[in-house]
Amino acid sequence: MSVELLNQDTVIDYLVSKKVVAASENPQVEVLTGGVSNVVLAINTNSQKLVLKQALAELAVSEKWEADQRRAIVEANAIELFNQLSPTQVPKLIFLDPERFVLVLERVPVGSTVWKSDLLSGVINPDIGAHLGKTLASWHNFGQTNAQARIKFMEDSLFEQLRIDPFYRFVAAKNPQIEVEIRKLINELEGDKTTIVHGDFSPKNIMVSMDDQVYILDFEVTHVGNPVFDLAFLLAHLLCKFFRTEDRLHAKLLSNTGLAFVKEYEKLRAISPSVVKHTALIALARVEGKSPVNYLSPDQQVKLQSFTKAILANTANLSVSNLFEMSAK
């Protein structure tokens, strides 16, 4: 059952009633955009800069896509955990209302940019990929070796609702020629409960400050599962942007970013050889799934569809470097 959503007019009274902010602190509200799964509002007071998120019961996309609002509670638990592991990269949780599915966290420094926007505008620094690979591997290692930490994230219905169904099954239903291969990938994800997986490790959820500090956000799909998903999810976004660019230097930098991400990750833990097929499937879902990207031209979409379907039909084990090399041909 959905709950009443907060908005720019009601949020201050709500936060004052919950003692998150004080009316005497002159709180101001700013509507933040970019997400499809939450109400997102910035609240600035004389002493605090905060972000409020409230989970939507139905995501704001063209296809009907319902999702359990309990993901706000999952995200709050994940923020607390990952803030402890990486306090300079994950903002601190300030408040959780489990009944209205509202959480409040510290805002990243004003002036920080969304990494997705940087990549699309040609601001591409492979060092950020390397940094993210090292961080993600350390998180996966922690999750694998700490059974107590995994307990809060054993519920995986949210991953089913937000990832398996709209990305994997939705695309499989449209493509009977590669459905068997996609089913294998689904089985690999559903049959592996190895570690704590972020579930939305995407450039839109990564921010970069003016001094190149990297912040990681949006943990609502955190679950215990197969770590290959986090790797493939990020690589798929880089691959989509690789197909978008017509600038050879930008293409090379995007490729180097993906390779640096994988290289640093592999210094701390091994990567499944299936990462390339998961990457191809997720990239294909960004055209044919329930949440397509909005920056590919029709011609670029066709090329990406053709390329990723060929990868999924290929029986050879390909490396991430092969993925970008083949894309460039």
Side-chain angles (χ1 to χ4, degrees):
M1 181 178 69
S2 62
V3 298
E4 182 182 356
L5 296 176
L6 295 167
N7 58 46
Q8 193 170 9
D9 297 323
T10 62
V11 66
I12 296 300
D13 287 344
Y14 169 81
L15 291 174
V16 170
S17 73
K18 297 295 183 181
K19 297 182 170 53
V20 178
V21 301
S24 60
E25 281 279 284
N26 189 33
Q28 303 293 317
V29 184
E30 174 189 354
V31 178
L32 300 180
T33 59
V36 299
S37 61
N38 296 276
V39 171
V40 186
L41 302 169
I43 296 89
N44 299 320
T45 74
N46 294 338
S47 61
Q48 298 182 91
K49 294 187 184 299
L50 306 172
V51 171
L52 176 144
K53 295 179 63 177
Q54 184 177 25
L56 298 174
E58 185 171 328
L59 276 58
V61 294
S62 57
E63 298 282 349
K64 186 174 179 60
W65 187 352
E66 296 179 346
D68 195 326
Q69 289 172 290
R70 291 181 303 113
R71 65 188 185 274
I73 301 171
V74 172
E75 177 164 27
N77 290 334
I79 289 172
E80 287 188 317
L81 171 62
F82 290 112
N83 173 260
Q84 291 174 14
L85 297 178
S86 303
T88 62
Q89 292 178 262
V90 179
K92 182 179 178 181
L93 180 72
I94 302 298
F95 169 76
L96 169 67
D97 181 345
E99 295 180 353
R100 294 188 67 172
F101 310 113
V102 172
L103 59 89
V104 177
L105 60 155
E106 292 178 334
R107 188 175 184 179
V108 303
V110 174
S112 298
T113 54
V114 179
W115 193 38
K116 172 185 174 180
S117 300
D118 291 346
L119 295 173
L120 289 173
S121 64
V123 181
I124 307 166
N125 180 359
D127 288 345
I128 293 175
H131 187 76
L132 291 168
K134 181 178 180 180
T135 298
L136 185 64
S138 70
W139 288 0
H140 286 168
N141 282 342
F142 174 86
Q144 185 167 342
T145 57
N146 288 268
Q148 189 65 32
R150 292 197 298 271
I151 291 173
K152 288 185 177 181
F153 307 103
M154 292 302 294
E155 170 60 61
D156 58 5
S157 64
L158 292 171
F159 183 63
E160 182 78 20
Q161 291 176 359
L162 294 168
R163 294 293 174 264
I164 297 291
D165 180 65
F167 286 81
Y168 285 68
R169 289 199 175 92
F170 194 81
V171 173
K174 288 185 172 182
N175 295 279
Q177 74 278 17
I178 53 174
E179 183 178 4
V180 171
E181 189 60 40
I182 296 175
R183 297 291 174 188
K184 290 178 182 177
L185 296 176
I186 292 173
N187 291 340
E188 183 182 10
L189 293 180
E190 293 184 334
D192 188 321
K193 306 296 180 185
T194 301
T195 188
I196 300 172
V197 177
H198 182 285
D200 201 5
F201 207 73
S202 160
K204 73 179 176 61
N205 297 329
I206 293 160
M207 299 193 71
V208 183
S209 70
M210 289 184 285
D211 59 356
D212 286 336
Q213 174 66 38
V214 177
Y215 298 91
I216 302 168
L217 308 172
D218 288 3
F219 294 84
E220 60 190 42
V221 198
T222 303
H223 65 285
V224 174
N226 191 325
V228 73
F229 184 83
D230 279 343
L231 289 154
F233 205 67
L234 184 71
L235 289 169
H237 280 278
L238 294 176
L239 186 63
C240 288
K241 291 166 182 60
F242 187 90
F243 268 82
R244 172 186 177 270
T245 187
E246 297 179 0
D247 186 294
R248 294 182 65 180
L249 175 59
H250 291 172
K252 182 63 175 175
L253 289 171
L254 286 165
S255 173
N256 288 348
T257 300
L259 296 177
F261 172 63
V262 168
K263 181 179 179 181
E264 287 302 311
Y265 186 97
E266 286 185 308
K267 288 180 180 180
L268 296 178
R269 62 181 290 129
I271 293 177
S272 168
S274 66
V275 66
V276 171
K277 289 204 169 184
H278 282 283
T279 299
L281 186 279
I282 295 167
L284 176 59
R286 304 317 307 219
V287 175
E288 297 188 1
K290 287 190 175 183
S291 182
V293 297
N294 60 3
Y295 52 75
L296 294 173
S297 70
D299 182 57
Q300 291 165 345
Q301 291 178 29
V302 170
K303 289 180 180 178
L304 181 61
Q305 287 169 294
S306 176
F307 176 78
T308 53
K309 289 176 184 180
I311 293 291
L312 288 162
N314 194 330
T315 58
N317 283 329
L318 301 173
S319 69
V320 173
S321 59
N322 294 147
L323 188 65
F324 286 98
E325 289 167 1
M326 294 168 63
S327 304
K329 293 180 180 179

